[in-house]
Amino acid sequence: MTNTLNFLLAGVGGQGTILASDVLVNVGLAAGYQAKQAEVHGMSQRGGSVTSFVRWGKTVYSPLVGAGEVDVYLAFEVAEALRNLGQLRRGALAVVNMQAIKPVTVTSGGQPYPDDDRLRAKIAEVTDQAVYVDGERIAAALGNARAANVVLLGALSALIERSGLAPELTPDDWLRVIAGRVPAKYVELNRQAFGAGREAVGEGQQLS
Amino acid sequence: MIESPNPVVRMLSGDEAVARGAWEAGVAVASAYPGTPSTEILEEFARFPNVYAEWATNEKVAVDVAIGAAYAGKRALATMKHVGLNVAADAFMYASMTGIEAGLVIVTADDPAMHSSQNEQDNRTFAKFARVPCLEPSDSQEAKDLTVAAFELSEQFDTPVLLRLTTRVCHSTSAVRLETGSWKLEESADDESPIPNPQSPIPKFPRNPAKYVMVPGNAIKRHPVIEARIRAVAEYAETCPFNRVEPGDRALGIITCGIAYQYAREVFPTASVLKLGMTWPLPERLIRDFAASVDRLIVIEELDPFIEEAVRLMGIPCEGKRIFPLVGEFDPRVVRESAINAGLLPGDLHVALTGVDVGQLPARPPVLCPGCPHRGAFYVLNKLKVLVNGDIGCYTLGLIAPLSAIHTCGCMGAGIAVAHGAAKAGSPEHHVAVIGDSTFFHTGIPALANVVYNQSPVITIIMDNRVTGMTGQQENPGSGHTLQGRPAPRIELEPLVRALGVKHVKTVPAYHVEEIEKTLREYLKLDEPAVLITEEECALLPSARKRWVPLEVLDNCNGCTLCFRIGCPAILKSDELDEKTGRPKALIDASLCTGCEVCAQVCPRDAIRFR
């Protein structure tokens, strides 16, 4: 890596974005980079938006990433994917989870909620490097929808590998960090979820 | 705490790093009131062996507790969010006057951009005000190192030390080095280790009234002592290892501190930098020499021009807030764009935005959780259209539509006294003060005593959910156990309120909408103080989760929309329309519903099945 790699994670409280960004910052550290993470979770327990930045690099100063400088986007939810889209640089990598969590302003307040076509069209205006994953469905098929965040991390790992942005990293680096972050009885489930996320974006190679 | 694969480096948040540093420094007693972004410090510290940690009833109590421990000869810590230091200011000021026997560190976690606060005050001013040194870390490593240094400084100069964090330091994670082979990695008590056992017996509590009894005759002699002390600390600041020059291009010199240092380094990679780890008192000679070594001097600091003004008072020309914002939080873009606008950087460094227009998006405000025991009372308050003086906690979210039932909210414990003042001014409405159990213990009790003493018809609703909810279900005097998991007496609210002399007191189950409405309607006819306690544990507590049973909407729903007025995230508009009215029927999201039955109680057609 020549410079820094700037990640933005965006979702809704309770979706596992904070675990995902913990994994991401530790994967960076395990790969030998300096790594920092910053999140806002003050109100997230009450169903609010959650965003988190992760940065990897030879030298990382700021834990925050300025608007227009996001290289890699991990969006957990349709409306939040759009809400933070303006922060991406043109051509950024993006993994978008096709889950809709409608806020009360929609469910009982009558505000419109964006449809999938608008989401894809707007993301296409910014980058042609986006993949769309149905993390909940994939995780549920493995037996636990809560592993959706690890499905997304699997997809993200494949996308980063394909891009050549962090050539030092192997899937095992990710799996080791994930295994260290979840209870022992869920390690195998998360291994499968990670692998399924990679397959979902066309990276089916065997994990050791 | 995140375990890294490499045992000598751990990824810690700034809060976790402060806790670690406090433990390494041998802190024996730590006291705090929860407040974002400081809460995790005590939660983390409480898990270390051989330490005492507690949730105090408020920040002033926490600082007094820490002072008592420091007088008794043990290192002590008090932590709080920035506005907590307003509550604790009285204690903070006298601790400066008396000094201590063992190290005393007060942590203030400031919140630039007000991610979860009512203001963005810059508490460095408190250090100057109190003649107390202020240390400011820029990342987690420094958060740990400066915590240890703060205790040494405190004892060296017989002074409390203010450790100032900001949200981006508290809640950012970065690597912290831990030396292998030293006692610092051993998290179990080891009699052979050099770490002093913080709980070992103390020497006799000092009997030194000239130093510790601040009557005027003694205080007047202490004032020159603390003025001389801060001058001595200023001398130390000249060689303090946390104040350092990072030499670079002489054309531009930057004085910076805290998280702003990271942005300065990122945006001006070649500039000369004076990085201040101690921001009060300032090292005048170091600053003077640095200023003389560069052609142009700027100060990059978030919020107030605290360093900038001090540098100007030294007669040294510099620029700061003319270039960088006074309001809100910095990030690399804010610093870079400000510098480009001021001509400090070439315009070609401007980072263009894609300018994508994503169109209208639905707001996602924080809301009362499904099953929140505060919901029923707010539904009634909205229905009765009464004036509500609110307070700080989850229940401040009663502000948000459709509940829309909070009309003032300023600081912890304010609502009851604001209601009383309005009543005494002749406000034509009946005022209702809404306050949570933890906030009532914090500063609500004196305000209610004032209502009784001076008699006003204020109705106080104490929403008792047995925890400090908004900051993440911390224990409080009503919870029945302590921060460190020990059983504790549970202070009951109704006897307490009666003991204050309130004649009209009633405790109602918080999910009982009809009973709440009936009681409030009775109280609104009174011309005396009255208190309604709504009681039900927070729906997110593990004990409450065990009782979750989702409800179901029945076929006779006609889409009247009344159940939407309780603002529950678990109630949705379904795709099914009522045949007669053409309105969408209600639908309950079984994955969110806890079965609190508030919706079932407000439904006029009994179209929601009770559990």
Side-chain angles (χ1 to χ4, degrees), chain B residues 491-538:
Chain B
I491 300 179
E492 297 296 338
L493 290 172
E494 186 167 326
L496 174 62
V497 169
R498 288 195 188 280
L500 287 174
V502 181
K503 283 189 275 178
H504 310 279
V505 187
K506 197 166 178 189
T507 302
V508 170
Y511 292 145
H512 206 313
V513 179
E514 196 183 334
E515 192 65 21
I516 291 170
E517 182 170 346
K518 191 170 141 245
T519 308
L520 284 178
R521 284 189 187 279
E522 281 166 20
Y523 283 178
L524 286 166
K525 293 177 200 149
L526 298 173
D527 197 28
E528 288 184 299
V531 172
L532 166 64
I533 300 162
T534 59
E535 192 180 50
E536 178 61 51
E537 67 177 353
C538 170

Side-chain angles (χ1 to χ4, degrees), chain B residues 184-223:
Chain B
K184 291 179 181 180
L185 267 183
E186 302 303 319
E187 294 200 7
S188 59
D190 177 2
D191 292 337
E192 302 302 312
S193 74
I195 186 173
N197 181 353
Q199 303 304 349
S200 62
I202 57 162
K204 212 169 156 189
F205 192 91
R207 278 148 174 85
N208 186 355
K211 187 164 186 273
Y212 292 117
V213 182
M214 282 302 94
V215 293
N218 292 335
I220 206 156
K221 293 180 194 118
R222 288 293 300 171
H223 188 188

Side-chain angles (χ1 to χ4, degrees), chain B residues 74-86:
Chain B
K74 290 301 176 87
R75 287 186 169 184
L77 176 75
T79 66
M80 61 209 68
K81 66 183 292 163
H82 59 339
V83 289
L85 193 51
N86 300 338

